[in-house]
Amino acid sequence: MSYSRLYSLGRVHNAALRLRPCLRTGIQFRANGTSAPNRPNFPCVDAHAARQSFLESLTKRSAVSEQSAEDADSGPEPPYARPSPKSYQVFHSNEPLPLTYAPPLPSFDIAYETWGTLSPARDNVILLHTGLSASSHAASTSLNPAEGWWEKFIGPGRALDTDQFYIICTNVIGGCYGSTGPSSVDPRTGKPYATTFPVISIFDMVRAQYRLLDHLGVGKLYASVGCSMGAMQSLAAGWLHPERVGKVVSISGTARSSPSSVAMRFAQRSVLMADPNWNKGFYYDALPPHTGMKLARQIATITYRSGPEWDLRFGRKLRPPPPECTNESLDLDLPRAPALCPDFLIETYLDHQGEQFCLKYDANSLIYISKAMDMFDMTLPSLQSIKLARTDSQSDAPDDVPSIHNSHSKSHPPPPNPAPHLPDLAAGLRPLAHIPTLILGVQSDILFTVEQQRECADALRMAGNHNVSYYELGGVWGHDTFLLDVLNVGGAIRGFLS
Amino acid sequence: MSYSRLYSLGRVHNAALRLRPCLRTGIQFRANGTSAPNRPNFPCVDAHAARQSFLESLTKRSAVSEQSAEDADSGPEPPYARPSPKSYQVFHSNEPLPLTYAPPLPSFDIAYETWGTLSPARDNVILLHTGLSASSHAASTSLNPAEGWWEKFIGPGRALDTDQFYIICTNVIGGCYGSTGPSSVDPRTGKPYATTFPVISIFDMVRAQYRLLDHLGVGKLYASVGCSMGAMQSLAAGWLHPERVGKVVSISGTARSSPSSVAMRFAQRSVLMADPNWNKGFYYDALPPHTGMKLARQIATITYRSGPEWDLRFGRKLRPPPPECTNESLDLDLPRAPALCPDFLIETYLDHQGEQFCLKYDANSLIYISKAMDMFDMTLPSLQSIKLARTDSQSDAPDDVPSIHNSHSKSHPPPPNPAPHLPDLAAGLRPLAHIPTLILGVQSDILFTVEQQRECADALRMAGNHNVSYYELGGVWGHDTFLLDVLNVGGAIRGFLS
């Protein structure tokens, strides 16, 4: 069976694997206190094994029938290369792509989607960058009417106004949605790269995007726009090609990944890599690490939302007992026994988020892209250490040394308690000194904290940027605010771009 | 081989298992760009397998030699029942212990340690409650000179002054340090309870402690003192036995576990229960889920410390490359390639914390006790639902209905944005209305947030408690502040107790 069909069937079957946590532990002591205890059930653990068995049965069942149809030499089909309907275009480059930490990638694909109409002068392009696991399908298109991840932000009169702009959204290299990544076939071996894929950086993603822009004949972007990891790319685009970026929008991003965000992503990678199915990344001819992916997504989800939202949405409510469990309460006058498997609504929510995701995304892509986020650091010493080449002459930055007193107006005095690395960050951001930049953050975001938003705005001002627009949003949605708060996020972007 | 010896040897061997992350991925493209890529090494993944093999070899090697010496009928020895030196006393009760969610536990042990001298009137007793994985060894004793987890807070002239007080610290039921828990032998079967152990509550832990106090002839405590989960027990003691508690100290605790803290603990339980070694809790005659424990501890560690501390302590520093890796950089003019295994110091720190812990604590105890924390909720509806019996007549609470306007003085006006559950929490805390209570929290704590500290103090005041001392600490240590900030935490306790 082809890998992508396996995934697609796995997704459909997800509903059938849903937990039915009926029997619980903790009710083993019968009234007489002497009968032998029953071994409890753990449906949340059985779910992993059931998923594994189901995926195995799919593979075996179809192995014979597909044997003749498939080209035996082609190797396993990459998991996400052929979604149905195929909604993106692919630009293939045979020119090597320089990489930050490794020799150049000999060739690569970039998959992308577009909205709106390219102006004759090709000067109305907005490059939209995705977050960690998002695809190029930011909004519905005629090719693919499915709702996109930023559906309400793209369209006529919306934040990214398709009456005015031509919007391009790419799948990043390293990912698994059609652009070259660990699940792609290595032309040298005819097999998926797996973990022989080189470690990539945010800058590498952007360099690949600019190769696409070159191919499309787009010189200067009207704007580079991104949220979360997309915001990192947006800032990186301004740094690599200051003369080719009109405006930069950074929503809930950062110019320097903090140790706590590294810690959160490390925890996710650790559980994923500990899944025996991961097999050091070489799982493309076997079953993927679905359990590790589920556990990783559970952890990630904790960082995407906020405690206050969960207090409002779930509080301490327990899941309703399934109908088939009503006889479970025994004869004793005891309160409902808590389950060690998900029982609180917050637990079933996290479990569901993990279950929904565990076959949707390539595990190696998650590892590589999450590592790229960790490595992102625009302080000058860090940029110098990776020896990146920029396209401009570096003469466009102000001559004066970045200074804590270099704020652009009386309304924005120097920060009272600047982080020790702030001057280095300002020095690193000097190439963006002349690019109007919108920094927008959310006070309830625990992954890209509001302190990091302030730091980014402060550093840009210290670098001499007199056109930094800065907003902080309230609300309880945490990091996910950029997906949800159309009024405030969309409004700020529309105002800044107009 | 006995289970406890296995653990003890495993601990010693931990050092030998330390990661040596030398080879890295991301450097596979040689200068000529055509050679076949090498499969990368993942020492952080190999470490799990190495730990497993080592533990297996220990078991096999000693199986023959111990066969004759061990009583074949006694079943496997519980893992932590016999630490060396055995530093605690054990109180065994044959009277059933009522449980919140299950029929009574027919018999149980409580292990405990003491410091100071019991006064003739037995009126100088401080009951010190432990956090999740702490043992009764809070400070060194003549029996066990090893440093305790609260060493600097206990002793002559210290926060808990042994010149004045007789301090008792117990190991909670459900744990694995000598008190009855999942690793204890079920008298009905002669085998460890494993997950047939009943789900327990914080109140059950306290009821067991009071059975010990009864046994020791201690009527009323001078004070009930606890940090983290110990603070929950401290409040629960005041609720169950208001007439037997002189003062309550709650450091970095809560009266109502929040959904986000449940989420954090759920993530830990999930990775632990997904470890095949866990085997639904029945691992006492095999190898423990050491990988799951390591992963769970990594997640827990993220919740114990704070981002600002990590920024100061680790920043974005990378581990130094091991000496044997110096030839690794190949011939290319490339920056150091990032490793997918731990590379940042924050990652090696979390890895180390997980490695150190993974054989130190019983996995089932972690699951049961973490669940007890999740279930802790002192709002009145929750307390009513679990039908707890209290020892007093409930006449000691003020007659008036808890009210948001019931703050005890002009210096503490009603909270401006009370949580919807605050009145219910105040109603639940009414039995503590006449117990002087110290609530101390830490602003950088992300597990027991400062909002929860304020909520607890507000609710106590609303309940009519006119003796609520409330402090918030700054600093960067997060939840772990209670272990580290002797000056401020210790000072507040000493002042409150005197």
Side-chain angles (χ1 to χ4, degrees):
Chain A
M1 163 164 283
S2 78
Y3 205 79
S4 62
R5 242 190 91 203
L6 182 70
Y7 272 71
S8 136
L9 278 163
R11 266 201 296 276
V12 173
H13 188 68
N14 261 355
L17 287 175
R18 237 169 242 158
L19 302 181
R20 307 185 77 183
C22 180
L23 289 177
R24 309 193 193 107
T25 186
I27 49 170
Q28 296 79 19
F29 288 85
R30 307 282 160 164
N32 61 19
T34 55
S35 58
N38 297 320
R39 289 208 173 191
N41 283 0
F42 290 97
C44 58
V45 176
D46 293 335
H48 301 313
R51 213 185 300 112
Q52 178 83 2
S53 301
F54 173 74
L55 294 174
E56 273 167 2
S57 72
L58 281 187
T59 315
K60 283 175 198 158
R61 206 187 310 154
S62 59
V64 181
S65 63
E66 292 194 9
Q67 190 69 38
S68 53
E70 283 199 348
D71 177 1
D73 291 326
S74 69
E77 186 180 357
Y80 313 95
R82 297 175 206 169
S84 176
K86 179 164 175 175
S87 54
Y88 52 73
Q89 303 174 69
V90 178
F91 163 61
H92 176 77
S93 172
N94 273 320
E95 250 184 83
L97 180 74
L99 298 176
T100 305
Y101 302 110
L105 202 55
S107 65
F108 65 97
D109 286 344
I110 286 287
Y112 65 100
E113 296 179 55
T114 68
W115 299 262
T117 309
L118 185 60
S119 65
R122 300 176 190 232
D123 60 356
N124 69 333
V125 175
I126 289 178
L127 181 59
L128 174 62
H129 308 272
T130 65
L132 172 51
S133 59
S135 77
S136 62
H137 197 59
S140 52
T141 61
S142 55
L143 282 173
N144 182 358
E147 200 170 272
W149 57 267
W150 233 27
E151 187 73 22
K152 291 180 179 156
F153 293 78
I154 299 171
R158 291 187 170 161
L160 304 188
D161 188 349
T162 48
D163 287 340
Q164 192 181 352
F165 301 115
Y166 182 65
I167 298 132
I168 304 174
C169 185
T170 79
N171 289 303
V172 294
I173 58 161
C176 56
Y177 292 123
S179 296
T180 299
S183 59
S184 305
V185 170
D186 182 344
R188 298 166 300 177
T189 63
K191 291 180 178 165
Y193 284 102
T195 43
T196 68
F197 197 71
V199 170
I200 51 165
S201 74
I202 299 288
F203 293 99
D204 298 338
M205 297 174 186
V206 174
R207 281 196 276 214
Q209 290 164 339
Y210 269 80
R211 296 282 285 277
L212 170 66
L213 295 180
D214 293 343
H215 164 74
L216 298 174
V218 175
K220 181 172 180 173
L221 295 173
Y222 183 86
S224 171
V225 174
C227 312
S228 191
M229 183 182 79
M232 296 176 170
Q233 297 169 64
S234 195
L235 292 165
W239 191 92
L240 283 171
H241 304 285
E243 80 294 355
R244 293 180 69 181
V245 178
K247 298 183 177 195
V248 164
V249 173
S250 162
I251 314 280
S252 298
T254 183
R256 175 186 176 273
S257 283
S258 69
S260 17
S261 72
V262 172
M264 297 286 203
R265 286 186 289 265
F266 167 71
Q268 295 166 49
R269 287 193 298 268
S270 296
V271 299
L272 183 44
M273 292 163 71
D275 185 330
N277 279 15
W278 183 61
N279 191 32
K280 301 190 177 180
F282 293 85
Y283 53 81
Y284 295 110
D285 54 358
L287 295 185
H290 49 89
T291 299
M293 283 294 274
K294 176 173 179 174
L295 299 170
R297 187 63 168 190
Q298 288 180 172
I299 299 169
T301 304
I302 294 175
T303 69
Y304 294 157
R305 293 295 174 107
S306 83
E309 189 218 350
W310 289 341
D311 231 329
L312 290 170
R313 187 166 163 200
F314 304 120
R316 292 184 45 82
K317 288 196 208 89
L318 297 171
R319 68 180 166 78
E324 66 271 28
C325 299
T326 45
N327 291 331
E328 186 198 346
S329 316
L330 295 182
D331 46 342
L332 296 154
D333 187 27
L334 286 168
R336 171 176 168 176
L340 298 183
C341 275
D343 205 12
F344 283 108
L345 288 190
I346 177 64
E347 294 178 299
T348 58
Y349 165 79
L350 293 173
D351 185 280
H352 178 73
Q353 294 294 319
E355 193 72 35
Q356 286 297 102
F357 185 76
C358 69
L359 290 171
K360 261 192 194 163
Y361 197 73
D362 178 56
N364 284 336
S365 283
L366 186 67
I367 292 170
Y368 274 82
I369 296 182
S370 123
K371 189 74 193 180
M373 293 173 77
D374 286 4
M375 299 306 295
F376 190 61
D377 179 2
M378 298 187 77
T379 58
L380 187 61
S382 167
L383 291 167
Q384 285 170 337
S385 75
I386 56 177
K387 302 172 193 166
L388 289 177
R390 289 174 46 227
T391 56
D392 69 322
S393 61
Q394 311 204 13
S395 61
D396 58 345
D399 289 330
D400 53 325
V401 175
S403 153
I404 199 75
H405 302 291
N406 203 14
S407 290
H408 76 299
S409 75
K410 286 183 179 168
S411 72
H412 292 92
N417 292 304
H421 57 261
L422 191 59
D424 281 342
L425 191 57
L429 291 172
R430 286 293 283 275
L432 286 91
H434 296 303
I435 308 175
T437 302
L438 167 65
I439 304 290
L440 187 149
V442 178
Q443 287 158 345
S444 56
D445 190 336
I446 58 170
L447 189 58
F448 291 78
T449 63
V450 76
E451 286 76 20
Q452 289 187 291
Q453 312 304 321
R454 291 174 195 156
E455 168 182 291
C456 190
D458 286 337
L460 282 165
R461 288 171 180 148
M462 277 175 69
N465 192 321
H466 294 211
N467 282 293
V468 177
S469 300
Y470 179 74
Y471 302 99
E472 282 179 19
L473 299 186
V476 297
W477 282 326
H479 186 61
D480 273 357
T481 298
F482 76 84
L483 295 170
L484 303 165
D485 193 345
V486 180
L487 182 70
N488 292 295
V489 175
I493 295 170
R494 205 166 53 240
F496 176 74
L497 292 181
S498 63
Chain B
M1 161 164 286
S2 78
Y3 206 78
S4 62
R5 243 191 90 203
L6 182 68
Y7 272 70
S8 137
L9 277 164
R11 267 202 295 277
V12 173
H13 188 68
N14 262 355
L17 286 175
R18 236 167 245 159
L19 303 181
R20 309 186 76 184
C22 180
L23 290 177
R24 310 191 193 108
T25 185
I27 48 170
Q28 295 78 20
F29 289 87
R30 306 281 160 165
N32 60 20
T34 54
S35 59
N38 297 320
R39 288 206 174 194
N41 283 3
F42 290 97
C44 58
V45 176
D46 292 335
H48 301 314
R51 212 185 300 112
Q52 178 83 2
S53 301
F54 173 74
L55 293 174
E56 272 167 1
S57 72
L58 280 186
T59 315
K60 285 175 195 158
R61 203 188 312 155
S62 59
V64 182
S65 64
E66 292 194 8
Q67 190 68 39
S68 54
E70 283 200 346
D71 177 0
D73 291 326
S74 70
E77 187 181 352
Y80 313 94
R82 293 175 209 170
S84 174
K86 179 161 175 175
S87 52
Y88 51 73
Q89 303 175 66
V90 178
F91 162 62
H92 177 77
S93 171
N94 273 320
E95 250 184 82
L97 180 73
L99 299 176
T100 304
Y101 302 110
L105 203 54
S107 66
F108 65 97
D109 286 345
I110 285 288
Y112 65 101
E113 295 179 56
T114 67
W115 299 263
T117 309
L118 185 59
S119 64
R122 302 178 188 229
D123 60 357
N124 70 333
V125 175
I126 290 179
L127 181 60
L128 174 62
H129 308 273
T130 65
L132 172 51
S133 58
S135 76
S136 63
H137 196 60
S140 52
T141 60
S142 54
L143 281 173
N144 181 359
E147 198 170 272
W149 56 268
W150 233 27
E151 187 73 23
K152 291 182 179 155
F153 292 79
I154 299 170
R158 292 187 169 162
L160 304 188
D161 187 350
T162 48
D163 286 340
Q164 193 180 352
F165 300 116
Y166 182 65
I167 298 133
I168 304 174
C169 184
T170 77
N171 289 303
V172 294
I173 57 159
C176 56
Y177 292 122
S179 297
T180 299
S183 59
S184 305
V185 170
D186 181 346
R188 297 166 301 176
T189 63
K191 291 181 177 162
Y193 283 104
T195 42
T196 68
F197 196 72
V199 170
I200 52 166
S201 74
I202 299 288
F203 293 99
D204 298 338
M205 298 174 185
V206 174
R207 282 196 276 213
Q209 290 164 338
Y210 269 80
R211 296 282 284 279
L212 169 66
L213 296 180
D214 293 343
H215 164 73
L216 298 174
V218 175
K220 182 173 181 171
L221 295 173
Y222 184 86
S224 171
V225 174
C227 312
S228 191
M229 184 182 79
M232 295 176 170
Q233 296 169 64
S234 196
L235 291 165
W239 191 91
L240 284 170
H241 304 286
E243 79 294 356
R244 292 180 69 180
V245 178
K247 297 182 178 197
V248 164
V249 173
S250 161
I251 314 280
S252 298
T254 184
R256 174 185 175 275
S257 282
S258 71
S260 18
S261 71
V262 172
M264 297 286 204
R265 287 186 288 265
F266 167 71
Q268 294 166 51
R269 287 193 298 268
S270 295
V271 299
L272 183 44
M273 291 162 72
D275 185 329
N277 279 14
W278 183 61
N279 191 30
K280 299 189 177 180
F282 292 85
Y283 52 81
Y284 294 109
D285 55 358
L287 295 185
H290 49 89
T291 299
M293 283 295 272
K294 176 172 179 174
L295 299 170
R297 188 61 170 191
Q298 288 181 171
I299 301 169
T301 304
I302 294 176
T303 69
Y304 294 157
R305 291 296 174 108
S306 83
E309 188 219 352
W310 289 341
D311 231 329
L312 290 170
R313 187 166 164 201
F314 304 119
R316 292 184 46 82
K317 288 196 209 89
L318 297 171
R319 66 178 168 77
E324 66 270 28
C325 298
T326 44
N327 291 331
E328 186 197 347
S329 314
L330 296 183
D331 46 340
L332 296 153
D333 186 28
L334 288 168
R336 169 176 169 175
L340 298 182
C341 275
D343 205 12
F344 283 108
L345 288 188
I346 177 63
E347 294 178 298
T348 58
Y349 165 79
L350 293 173
D351 185 280
H352 178 73
Q353 294 294 320
E355 194 72 37
Q356 286 297 101
F357 185 76
C358 69
L359 291 170
K360 260 192 193 162
Y361 198 72
D362 179 55
N364 285 336
S365 284
L366 185 67
I367 292 170
Y368 274 83
I369 295 182
S370 122
K371 188 75 194 181
M373 293 174 77
D374 286 4
M375 299 306 296
F376 191 62
D377 179 2
M378 296 186 79
T379 58
L380 187 60
S382 167
L383 292 167
Q384 286 170 336
S385 76
I386 55 176
K387 301 171 194 165
L388 289 177
R390 288 176 46 230
T391 57
D392 69 321
S393 62
Q394 311 206 10
S395 61
D396 57 346
D399 290 330
D400 54 323
V401 175
S403 153
I404 201 73
H405 302 292
N406 203 14
S407 289
H408 75 300
S409 77
K410 285 181 182 171
S411 72
H412 292 90
N417 292 305
H421 56 261
L422 191 60
D424 281 342
L425 191 57
L429 291 172
R430 287 293 284 275
L432 287 90
H434 296 302
I435 308 175
T437 302
L438 168 65
I439 305 290
L440 187 148
V442 179
Q443 287 158 345
S444 57
D445 190 336
I446 58 170
L447 189 58
F448 291 79
T449 63
V450 76
E451 287 75 20
Q452 288 186 293
Q453 313 303 320
R454 291 174 194 157
E455 169 182 290
C456 191
D458 287 337
L460 283 165
R461 286 170 181 149
M462 276 176 68
N465 192 323
H466 293 212
N467 283 293
V468 178
S469 300
Y470 180 75
Y471 302 99
E472 283 179 18
L473 298 187
V476 297
W477 282 326
H479 186 60
D480 273 358
T481 298
F482 75 85
L483 296 170
L484 302 165
D485 192 347
V486 180
L487 181 71
N488 291 295
V489 175
I493 295 170
R494 205 167 52 243
F496 176 74
L497 292 181
S498 63

